[in-house]
Amino acid sequence: MLNRNKNFANLSSGYLFPEISKRRAAYAKAHPGAKIISLGIGNTTEPLTSHIVEGLHAEVTRLGTAEGYSGYGDETGLPSLRAKIAEVLYRGLVSAEEVFVSDGAKCDIGRIQYLFGSSVPVAVQDPAYPVYVDGSVMVGAAGPVSAGGTGYAGITYMPCTAENGFFPDLSAIPANSLVYFCSPNNPTGAVATKAQLASLVAAARSKGSIIIFDSAYASFIRDPALPLSIFEIPGARECAMEISSFSKPIGFTGVRLGWSIVPKELRFADGTPVMQDWTRLMTTIFNGASNIAQHGGLASLDAKGIAETRELTDYYLKNAQTIRTVLAGPNFRKAGVEIFGGDNAPYVWARFPGRKSWEIFDLILDTCHVVCTPGAGFGPAGESFIRFSSFGHHDQVAEACERLSTLAL
Ligand code: PGU
């Protein structure tokens, strides 16, 4: 019999979101009458918008014609989409050849871990999107969990707390490491300022490290002073790559489309451009994003598509305000609950002093029939926090908030 890959044995539990689904299903089975509402996983709920649907349809129709049919495409994406991403989303800060179209940011994170291998030190914001850590454990760059149970060996956790404004102490970044950084942040909803990103870039450069900047929620930024991309920061081209996604801006969580940016200047210690190996990897173990999805993405980047994207993200941001309002209510205030995020991000991050995340998760599920995400699932510094997702229908979110307003804490 084959030996199990020991890296997988190092994982301390199942992936966070299926774990939550399991608990929800068990609760629903035991309480068949409960009308459960999810403010848990960040999964889009609103229909695709009409102009983007037209873009998808048009490509489907073309594929049914002799002249319009296409098979495998360029593994790095349609040239027209790469150019449009560079022009519209990066306003020329990157070139089309630096854009690699993919089937989503999560899949790119997995491939990035494959690219850098098992001997690279990894630093993450704590709390963080679990894929950065779990994926690092899977490739052998981290693990097993240390005796104290506070995290995986080989991972440098950089606490992001209310006290430091959810921006970490960068002196903790190890030399020659991979630094995952997400802004707007999942789960805290914090958005790094230009000055903060400038200090991140300076730290990465002085440590010889590479930043993996996850901007999957950039479309939720409304404050014009906040940076949408790491490449707005001078010097980032030598020390950062960026991953991003069409999932949240245009509801492509199921359609699947994302991209990465690898600047030409980014190099390994031996001088090899990272772009060279990334191109080799993408052309070898990825066969290109769906041509249909790419035409939907293209439609989202013209004037009509941009307007629809704005409307859709505004819809979810309105939910975030509804959630913030209920969490500011008397029952939460009395318990000392502190509220963060939700202004330029689709997540509201709430601290329940003196309580455990999973305890609050169970309490909210049991008494309100609302699913949320326990902060502890995002890392040790997430303990005592709950993440509320604003992805949901307005009426469902309003109903969930109505129930939360009577939660006894
Ligand atoms: N990056 C961040 C920071 C995310 O929060 C998510 C989704 C992704 C990437 C995934 O983007 P795709 O382009 O769709 O692959 N986070 C959601 C969904 C959970 C999950 O496992 O991806 C969340 O609730 O955190």
Side-chain angles (χ1 to χ4, degrees), residues 336-352:
V337 171
E338 296 165 84
I339 318 156
F340 307 95
D343 289 326
N344 293 284
Y347 297 119
V348 178
W349 185 236
R351 178 160 176 243
F352 292 72

Side-chain angles (χ1 to χ4, degrees), residues 4-55:
R4 184 181 182 200
N5 179 339
K6 66 177 178 7
N7 298 335
F8 282 74
N10 283 338
L11 289 164
S12 66
S13 60
Y15 184 58
L16 178 62
F17 294 101
E19 202 72 30
I20 290 169
S21 303
K22 234 192 283 168
R23 291 201 186 206
R24 174 190 172 144
Y27 188 85
K29 200 167 165 210
H31 304 85
K35 287 200 174 64
I36 299 174
I37 299 175
S38 176
L39 303 181
I41 186 165
N43 196 2
T44 47
T45 56
E46 300 313 296
L48 299 176
T49 56
S50 61
H51 184 63
I52 293 164
V53 168
E54 277 166 25

Side-chain angles (χ1 to χ4, degrees), residues 15 17 40-43 103-107 109 129-132 182 184 186 214 216-217 243-248 252-253 256-258 347 373 378 387 389:
Y15 184 58
F17 294 101
I41 186 165
N43 196 2
D103 52 350
K106 190 179 197 174
C107 322
I109 297 164
Y129 179 44
V131 183
Y132 312 145
C182 177
N186 174 17
D214 187 337
Y217 300 102
I243 49 166
S244 205
S245 174
F246 285 97
S247 283
K248 310 296 156 84
F252 269 25
T253 40
R256 308 303 304 151
L257 192 66
Y347 297 119
T373 309
F378 296 96
R387 188 193 78 172
S389 161

Side-chain angles (χ1 to χ4, degrees), residues 151-401:
Y152 289 99
I155 301 272
T156 299
Y157 292 85
M158 302 189 292
C160 294
T161 61
E163 290 68 35
N164 64 18
F166 300 101
F167 188 80
D169 173 3
L170 301 173
S171 65
I173 295 177
N176 310 321
S177 61
L178 218 47
V179 184
Y180 289 92
F181 197 95
C182 177
S183 180
N185 191 264
N186 174 17
T188 67
V191 188
T193 63
K194 273 197 182 138
Q196 287 173 329
L197 289 190
S199 67
L200 175 66
V201 164
R205 290 173 66 111
S206 76
K207 299 280 173 82
S209 296
I210 290 182
I211 301 162
I212 309 295
F213 190 78
D214 187 337
S215 64
Y217 300 102
S219 58
F220 292 87
I221 294 179
R222 292 293 174 270
D223 179 345
L226 292 170
L228 303 170
S229 162
I230 190 77
F231 298 115
E232 291 181 33
I233 310 302
R237 295 179 59 85
E238 287 83 17
C239 69
M241 55 190 283
E242 183 162 315
I243 49 166
S244 205
S245 174
F246 285 97
S247 283
K248 310 296 156 84
I250 64 171
F252 269 25
T253 40
V255 177
R256 308 303 304 151
L257 192 66
W259 70 91
S260 60
I261 306 287
V262 182
K264 288 183 204 121
E265 292 87 336
L266 190 66
R267 289 176 187 274
F268 291 106
D270 70 355
T272 308
V274 172
M275 180 191 257
Q276 181 182 315
D277 286 1
W278 188 235
T279 306
R280 180 71 163 89
L281 188 148
M282 292 298 274
T283 53
T284 306
I285 61 167
F286 180 60
N287 240 345
S290 148
N291 41 15
I292 299 167
Q294 291 191 76
H295 280 276
L298 253 183
S300 79
L301 296 174
D302 64 21
K304 260 192 186 163
I306 291 165
E308 287 184 355
T309 304
R310 177 83 179 197
E311 211 177 304
L312 193 58
T313 44
D314 276 346
Y315 182 94
Y316 294 122
L317 283 169
K318 192 167 170 214
N319 284 337
Q321 289 313 308
T322 308
I323 296 166
R324 280 193 65 109
T325 303
V326 77
L327 294 176
N331 53 338
F332 290 96
R333 214 172 36 236
K334 220 172 86 200
V337 171
E338 296 165 84
I339 318 156
F340 307 95
D343 289 326
N344 293 284
Y347 297 119
V348 178
W349 185 236
R351 178 160 176 243
F352 292 72
R355 312 288 286 269
K356 293 270 187 211
S357 301
W358 279 106
E359 173 206 333
I360 300 292
F361 170 90
D362 285 335
L363 180 72
I364 292 177
L365 179 57
D366 200 31
T367 58
C368 304
H369 299 159
V370 170
V371 175
C372 52
T373 309
F378 296 96
E383 188 54 280
S384 289
F385 283 86
I386 291 288
R387 188 193 78 172
F388 294 94
S389 161
S390 67
F391 294 102
H393 303 308
H394 280 169
D395 61 334
Q396 290 279 292
V397 174
E399 163 77 27
C401 288

